[in-house]
Amino acid sequence: MEKLYWTKSIFRNQLQITRNSEQIGLIEWKNMFSSDALATMKGRRFILTRDFFLSKLEIFDTNNQAPLASIMINLFNPKTNVVINGKRFELEIKNFWQSRWAWKFNGQEIIIFQSFELLSKDKGQIEIYSADTEELELLILLGLFVRNQLILFMLLLLLIIFAILI
């Protein structure tokens, strides 16, 4: 098992991924509410985008703009699938607060994400149980991108509820 760590302040536009204090990945949004991000993982660059209301997330290779994966998110279903290189992976949100989520392949968890912070959710760890690096890079980036978008949606929902109550 390999462990990586990620950090992101809830009101910042940058998420860092580290291994043994060395930065190996980065996701950077234009601003806190941006639907697009640039990502780097082990020297490889990607573009991450989402459609309005979080329904569709995509990842592209920056060199040739080729689509690498696309995932549809249903906010009311904790499980969703993505196909990468002909392989089907399942993303499962483990709890309502999105503090624990995982990618599965053939029913087995291959990447487990965990957030250490309850309120700000600004740091956590990634446990990797597989050695297939090309797909793992995409799954790690998509897993963190999905999580960030779900947190933004929860903040927006709380703001709407608060505005209605006032």
Side-chain angles (χ1 to χ4, degrees), residues 73-79 153:
I73 302 296
N74 180 344
L75 298 173
F76 303 104
N77 183 357
K79 295 181 181 182
F153 178 76

Side-chain angles (χ1 to χ4, degrees), residues 31-50:
N31 60 54
M32 185 178 144
F33 299 104
S34 178
S35 61
D36 299 327
L38 292 176
T40 305
M41 188 70 173
K42 299 179 182 176
R44 193 170 167 201
R45 295 185 49 87
F46 303 93
I47 299 169
L48 295 158
T49 65
R50 75 169 158 83

Side-chain angles (χ1 to χ4, degrees), residues 44-47 59-69 138:
R44 193 170 167 201
R45 295 185 49 87
F46 303 93
I47 299 169
I59 188 166
F60 299 88
D61 188 313
T62 57
N63 291 333
N64 58 12
Q65 304 294 314
L68 301 172
L138 298 176

Side-chain angles (χ1 to χ4, degrees), residues 11-145:
F11 295 112
R12 299 218 29 213
N13 62 343
Q14 191 178 75
L15 183 146
Q16 296 181 1
I17 305 165
T18 59
R19 178 191 308 120
N20 300 326
S21 300
E22 174 191 352
Q23 182 176 315
I24 62 164
L26 178 72
I27 301 175
E28 190 164 24
W29 291 263
K30 292 178 184 175
N31 60 54
M32 185 178 144
F33 299 104
S34 178
S35 61
D36 299 327
L38 292 176
T40 305
M41 188 70 173
K42 299 179 182 176
R44 193 170 167 201
R45 295 185 49 87
F46 303 93
I47 299 169
L48 295 158
T49 65
R50 75 169 158 83
D51 281 349
F52 195 62
F53 289 119
L54 310 175
S55 60
K56 184 178 181 182
L57 302 175
E58 297 176 296
I59 188 166
F60 299 88
D61 188 313
T62 57
N63 291 333
N64 58 12
Q65 304 294 314
L68 301 172
S70 176
I71 185 169
M72 296 296 290
I73 302 296
N74 180 344
L75 298 173
F76 303 104
N77 183 357
K79 295 181 181 182
T80 190
N81 296 314
V82 66
V83 175
I84 303 173
N85 297 330
K87 299 177 186 174
R88 186 182 67 81
F89 298 92
E90 179 183 27
L91 177 67
E92 181 178 7
I93 308 296
K94 300 279 191 184
N95 60 18
F96 176 76
W97 300 107
Q98 289 93 32
S99 63
R100 193 165 164 81
W101 64 107
W103 283 108
K104 293 181 177 182
F105 181 68
N106 289 334
Q108 294 187 343
E109 293 180 339
I110 59 169
I111 304 174
I112 299 172
F113 300 86
Q114 184 172 345
S115 174
F116 296 145
E117 301 292 325
L118 179 61
L119 296 175
S120 64
K121 297 184 181 287
D122 67 352
K123 59 184 168 181
Q125 93 181 2
I126 305 165
E127 296 175 353
I128 302 170
Y129 296 93
S130 178
D132 195 344
T133 57
E134 180 180 349
E135 292 152 357
L136 287 178
E137 291 174 1
L138 298 176
L139 292 170
I140 289 168
L141 292 173
L142 279 173
L144 293 170
F145 193 63

